[in-house]
């Protein structure tokens, strides 16, 4: 299983029909979330600029070998999985992930290159979301705290008091003040925290 690819899928599915300001990709930096956003932007731009080759055009070379697998104890993999869990927990912020929301997430798996293990892992995580306390207990730096909050913010629409309350509680447990959360809301084009 590749948690970074799973994170990329979740970020892409939450951005379905939404725009994230370009500055956010740079501001989020080289952490797992910033990389996922930048990769999605790159693929989207590449698809948009892709045109059918004209007559006599040379076809592109075949893709190179896939990158080597990430060891299970790799910190990048652990951070990516934490962000996956943060997004899923935020999806449950209003108390439940209803059937329609679940079908929307799983329906977007069609056409994705996720392995069976990754699909199964996503379903297991959807069935047993982490609590804010579990998420905060795994955060080891200010950068990771901001990424967990930003991933959570990407996963919800902030259209209910429960979602605002969830983010406020998460921010408190992560040690993020109003200035930090306000900056993340601006970067991601999300409504201001309540």
């Amino acid at each position: 299983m590749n948690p970074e690819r799973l994170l990329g899928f979740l970020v892409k599915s939450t951005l379905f029909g939404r725009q994230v300001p370009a500055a956010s990709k740079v501001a989020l930096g080289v952490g797992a979330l910033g990389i996922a956003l930048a990769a999605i932007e790159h693929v989207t731009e590449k698809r948009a600029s892709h045109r059918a080759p004209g007559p006599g055009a040379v076809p592109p070379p075949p893709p190179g070998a896939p990158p080597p697998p990430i060891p299970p104890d790799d910190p990048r993999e652990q951070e990516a999985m934490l962000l996956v869990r943060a997004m899923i927990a935020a999806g449950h912020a209003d108390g439940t992930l209803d059937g329609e929301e679940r079908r929307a997430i799983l329906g977007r798996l069609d056409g994705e290159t996720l392995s069976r293990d990754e699909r199964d892992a996503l379903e297991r995580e959807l069935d047993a979301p982490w609590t804010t306390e579990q998420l905060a207990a795994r955060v080891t730096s200010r950068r990771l705290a901001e990424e967990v909050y930003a991933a959570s913010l990407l996963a919800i629409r902030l259209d209910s008091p429960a979602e605002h309350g969830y983010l406020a509680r998460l921010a408190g447990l992560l040690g993020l003040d109003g200035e930090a959360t306000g900056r993340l809301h601006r970067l991601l084009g999300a409504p201001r925290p309540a």
Side-chain angles (χ1 to χ4, degrees):
M1 182 181 77
N2 183 335
E4 290 177 315
R5 191 165 55 201
L6 191 55
L7 174 62
F9 162 74
L10 279 179
V11 169
K12 184 172 131 184
S13 74
T14 61
L15 294 178
F16 193 69
R18 288 170 62 185
Q19 288 286 18
V20 173
S24 66
K25 291 128 185 142
V26 174
L28 286 170
V30 296
L33 187 59
I35 290 170
L37 285 168
I40 290 164
E41 179 181 48
H42 174 74
V43 168
T44 302
E45 287 175 358
K46 191 173 181 179
R47 284 183 184 156
S49 67
H50 181 70
R51 295 180 209 127
V58 177
I70 299 171
D73 59 348
D74 187 310
R76 291 179 317 156
E77 184 176 86
Q78 292 172 7
E79 285 184 13
M81 198 63 205
L82 180 63
L83 298 179
V84 166
R85 289 177 171 137
M87 293 181 79
I88 290 170
H92 286 80
D94 59 0
T96 184
L97 187 72
D98 66 34
E100 184 179 325
E101 292 169 318
R102 185 182 177 93
R103 279 189 300 279
I105 292 169
L106 296 176
R108 291 185 193 129
L109 286 173
D110 297 337
E112 293 295 326
T113 58
L114 295 178
S115 70
R116 183 76 241 164
D117 284 346
E118 290 161 340
R119 290 170 188 260
D120 291 345
L122 178 59
E123 289 195 45
R124 280 192 307 275
E125 295 296 331
L126 287 169
D127 290 338
W130 279 27
T131 65
T132 52
E133 291 81 8
Q134 288 173 306
L135 293 169
R138 296 293 176 101
V139 171
T140 56
S141 68
R142 170 76 177 205
R143 177 196 54 82
L144 187 54
E146 290 186 1
E147 285 203 0
V148 166
Y149 187 89
S152 301
L153 182 57
L154 280 174
I156 57 180
R157 297 279 186 218
L158 276 178
D159 56 4
S160 76
E163 291 168 336
H164 284 278
Y166 177 86
L167 285 177
R169 178 167 175 68
L170 180 63
L173 290 169
L174 294 172
L176 299 176
D177 60 18
E179 182 180 326
T181 59
R183 181 176 58 80
L184 291 169
H185 282 252
R186 281 189 309 279
L187 283 173
L188 296 174
R192 303 275 304 170

